[in-house]
Amino acid sequence: MAEKIEKHREGSIILQEDSPEKMEVEVTEVKTSGDYNKEPVFIYHQWCKRCGICSTFCPTGTLGRNPDGSPFVEHPEKCIHCMTCDRLCPDFAITGAKRK
Amino acid sequence: MKNQPQKTVHSYLRHNKKFPHVWCAGCSNGIVLGALIRAVDELGLGRDDVAMVSGIGCSSRMPVYVDFNTLHTIHGRAIPFATGVKLHKPHLNVIVVTGDGDCTAIGGNHFIHACRRNLDLTIVVVNNNIYGMTGGQFSPTTPTGDIATTSPHGNIDPVFDICDLAIGAGATFVARSTAFHSLESEEFIKRGLEHKGMSVIEIVSACPVIYGRLNKKGGAPEMMKQMRDNSIPVKALDKLPPEKTKGKLVRGILKHVEKDEYTLRYQRLVDSLKQEESK
């Protein structure tokens, strides 16, 4: 267990995956574009609690919401780098790229 | 944490603590903590120049996660501990993070007397209208008629206005913002840290899991939308007709005066006694 916690802290595994509550939830397809360097917003899914604040308050609709509630970058070209999602994420799970 | 691009907030966190943090999904405490860290960062204060003191409660878990000098103390007694820290090390910027129950109910007496003395503390009151951590009992700021676990038929008590209380007790910088207005909160915390004297910053926050669920306020995004729609800046208060401002939360700097600060008065007393002795 201690080894698992250590791995969880490093971010390489999600500890909750093993809990029985999580196993019952139907696995939904999580959409990501895959290449984080090209996206204006980086979402760190290990820290995300799926509250939906970022996708609700995104002024241009850059962020969408997966069926399980987690956010994903739906329209990267729409981002205006306002950093609203970066500031309003309660879990520090979103890092917005600064305007170039 | 390895594969994540770093931002300012991340560099101030204690990464040996368990993340994601303890707060529920959608809780505003994380937003307030982010604003506080950015305010400290923008002022260019070193980590050893800041002391963060808290009592017990959801919001009082904040010092656990940040890499400042921190002190996590007993319920309601954050301000007495902070007073001790400030008097012993007057060069420190002491921030007290406290909740509505911790500050106005259990530590209410300490709060008003710290305001009266005008001690140079920055008190961030995160007001979520309920005792979240202990199971949803009503607090002095639960709106009249709202449901809590100890008032299942609606709360019959009138509401405590934290800013009015601080102004009446003699605090010299009093401001109110909401968690939704995170830039404004950041600005007020910054102004409070710069101000020499007692600064009280009330940040109205959302507790979607207990308060929101008991009172059918919706989830975290809905509660934050309500903050946005039901609050007005203090500058607009005089310009708008009274029917538009009725029942709305007033945001902004409500009081800002300069007065003699407590640690300076104390130092003057010590100096004068030393002089008398040496004569």
Side-chain angles (χ1 to χ4, degrees):
Chain A
M1 195 63 200
E3 197 183 300
K4 267 185 186 171
I5 290 170
E6 200 51 52
K7 275 188 179 173
H8 170 70
R9 279 177 187 156
E10 283 170 18
S12 55
I13 60 159
I14 307 171
L15 201 61
Q16 289 162 344
E17 297 266 277
D18 298 347
S19 65
E21 297 86 21
K22 183 74 190 285
M23 299 301 268
E24 283 169 20
V25 177
E26 201 177 305
V27 180
T28 48
E29 197 191 337
V30 177
K31 288 185 229 166
T32 53
S33 71
D35 190 356
Y36 291 121
N37 295 325
K38 285 181 185 167
E39 284 179 1
V41 175
F42 180 85
I43 301 159
Y44 190 60
H45 286 281
Q46 277 93 330
W47 285 15
C48 177
K49 288 177 188 159
R50 304 166 189 179
C51 60
I53 289 174
C54 52
S55 47
T56 310
F57 291 108
C58 179
T60 57
T62 303
L63 293 171
R65 226 174 153 186
N66 283 312
D68 67 345
S70 62
F72 70 104
V73 183
E74 197 171 11
H75 302 289
E77 72 286 353
K78 281 189 181 173
C79 182
I80 53 168
H81 301 280
C82 65
M83 309 293 273
T84 303
C85 52
D86 187 308
R87 284 197 310 271
L88 286 186
C89 178
D91 299 287
F92 319 122
I94 292 188
T95 307
K98 293 239 164 61
R99 196 191 297 268
K100 277 167 193 159
Chain B
M1 203 55 221
K2 260 182 195 167
N3 308 318
Q4 185 178 21
Q6 298 283 304
K7 57 179 177 177
T8 317
V9 174
H10 292 142
S11 60
Y12 282 87
L13 297 179
R14 282 180 178 151
H15 290 286
N16 57 346
K17 297 289 169 190
K18 195 180 166 219
F19 278 97
H21 52 55
V22 73
W23 299 310
C24 312
C27 176
S28 304
N29 285 334
I31 304 173
V32 178
L33 179 58
L36 198 151
I37 290 174
R38 285 195 301 273
V40 171
D41 185 69
E42 278 184 31
L43 286 176
L45 302 173
R47 283 159 207 230
D48 291 337
D49 300 337
V50 178
M52 213 164 155
V53 186
S54 76
I56 298 294
C58 291
S59 55
S60 302
R61 289 283 299 177
M62 272 184 210
V64 175
Y65 295 111
V66 282
D67 195 13
F68 300 136
N69 299 302
T70 59
L71 195 57
H72 194 178
T73 68
I74 50 179
H75 205 354
R77 275 48 163 166
I79 294 169
F81 281 89
T83 306
V85 172
K86 184 73 192 174
L87 283 177
H88 186 56
K89 302 248 183 232
H91 67 277
L92 284 178
N93 295 285
V94 183
I95 307 173
V96 180
V97 186
T98 172
D100 50 325
D102 195 48
C103 174
T104 58
I106 294 157
N109 206 5
H110 304 302
F111 178 65
I112 54 174
H113 289 287
C115 288
R116 177 172 64 87
R117 290 186 190 118
N118 194 28
L119 185 67
D120 186 15
L121 301 176
T122 305
I123 301 192
V124 180
V125 187
V126 185
N127 178 4
N128 64 354
N129 301 337
I130 208 158
Y131 281 94
M133 184 177 267
T134 52
Q137 293 85 355
F138 66 84
S139 83
T141 55
T142 307
T144 314
D146 274 9
I147 292 164
T149 49
T150 45
S151 62
H153 308 293
N155 178 23
I156 55 168
D157 296 348
V159 180
F160 227 155
D161 187 323
I162 296 173
C163 286
D164 279 357
L165 176 69
I167 291 169
T172 47
F173 181 91
V174 180
R176 186 194 280 128
S177 184
T178 76
F180 173 77
H181 303 89
S182 58
L183 269 181
E184 196 185 58
S185 313
E186 191 185 321
E187 177 65 25
F188 290 165
I189 295 172
K190 222 159 85 180
R191 295 278 297 272
L193 280 165
E194 283 173 334
H195 177 73
K196 286 277 165 231
M198 181 77 169
S199 353
V200 178
I201 298 119
E202 180 192 357
I203 300 179
V204 178
S205 74
C207 173
V209 171
I210 297 183
Y211 179 72
R213 189 151 58 193
L214 286 172
N215 293 290
K216 310 223 170 6
K217 299 260 181 192
E222 285 76 25
M223 287 187 84
M224 290 184 75
K225 275 182 190 167
Q226 287 159 20
M227 281 179 204
R228 181 187 63 189
D229 301 337
N230 295 331
S231 67
I232 50 162
V234 69
K235 284 173 191 161
L237 199 61
D238 301 331
K239 292 171 192 162
L240 288 170
E243 64 268 16
K244 278 198 175 173
T245 60
K246 200 184 168 200
K248 297 233 170 154
L249 190 79
V250 181
R251 291 184 280 116
I253 296 171
L254 305 175
K255 185 183 178 184
H256 189 192
V257 290
E258 296 292 337
K259 257 190 191 170
D260 218 4
E261 202 264 323
Y262 186 75
T263 49
L264 295 178
R265 289 206 303 273
Y266 196 76
Q267 194 56 47
R268 274 206 300 272
L269 176 69
V270 172
D271 290 347
S272 70
L273 289 176
K274 270 185 187 166
Q275 269 182 357
E276 266 178 36
E277 226 170 57
S278 61
K279 267 175 199 172

